[in-house]
Amino acid sequence: MTADASSVPPDARPVADIHELLALAELVGVRHYEVAGRRSLEAEGRPESIEAAEQDVVLSVRRHEDELEIRFRMVVVTPDADLVADVSVVYALPSHFDVSRPLTEEFVERVAVMAAFPFLRESIFTTATRLGATASVLGLLRAGQFKVGPGPY
């Protein structure tokens, strides 16, 4: 992802590879944009069991000045609840470096998702528990399991 001209100076130097990006980027924050849940008594159109719970993740990436923010919005539909966790991980990254889209995708898949996933997991589980709904424990996320899909983010 090459950021727009307002966030990266025109003379920005491209980051060479994932190793250089790892040396430059520093995790400085985790932001929760939304943590929500709603119990549902309607059975029609819902998964029949917690094992069949439906999960969807939407990714967005924002580069602004010295910050790279990678946001994950997860929606989980269980037999008795709709659960949402919208969490981002924020990295300090000097603005005079430009990160290509392929390199950003690699960083998301190998680094950022591993930093964000425990927060997504906890938010989904805690929200279900508070609602008295069947708690969906998100399993272990293994390296390489999360892939950035085609399209804008």
Side-chain angles (χ1 to χ4, degrees):
M1 168 210 91
T2 300
D4 62 61
S6 65
S7 61
V8 177
D11 61 342
R13 183 177 73 74
V15 176
D17 58 25
I18 190 70
H19 302 289
E20 182 180 17
L21 182 53
L22 287 170
L24 292 169
E26 184 68 38
L27 181 64
V28 294
V30 176
R31 295 180 182 148
H32 287 77
Y33 285 90
E34 181 180 11
V35 177
R38 180 178 51 234
R39 272 202 72 136
S40 176
L41 300 176
E42 291 290 323
E44 190 173 324
R46 303 192 72 78
E48 292 184 17
S49 68
I50 194 65
E51 294 77 25
E54 300 166 8
Q55 296 179 23
D56 185 44
V57 177
V58 176
L59 169 71
S60 63
V61 176
R62 183 181 71 88
R63 177 77 190 272
H64 183 71
E65 297 177 359
D66 288 346
E67 182 176 280
L68 175 63
E69 180 178 23
I70 302 163
R71 186 170 168 179
F72 301 86
R73 185 175 197 277
M74 177 178 275
V75 176
V76 178
V77 177
T78 71
D80 55 358
D82 298 321
L83 309 164
V84 177
D86 189 344
V87 174
S88 75
V89 286
V90 182
Y91 295 87
L93 181 65
S95 63
H96 59 276
F97 288 96
D98 190 19
V99 184
S100 68
R101 183 178 175 107
L103 188 53
T104 298
E105 290 177 2
E106 184 178 4
F107 186 78
V108 167
E109 292 173 354
R110 294 176 63 183
V111 179
V113 72
M114 297 308 229
F117 193 73
F119 295 94
L120 293 166
R121 178 192 291 127
E122 185 277 333
S123 295
I124 295 295
F125 182 81
T126 300
T127 301
T129 302
R130 286 182 178 159
L131 292 172
T134 307
S136 178
V137 177
L138 302 177
L140 181 66
L141 182 67
R142 290 174 171 75
Q145 190 175 352
F146 181 84
K147 296 289 183 195
V148 174
Y153 50 72

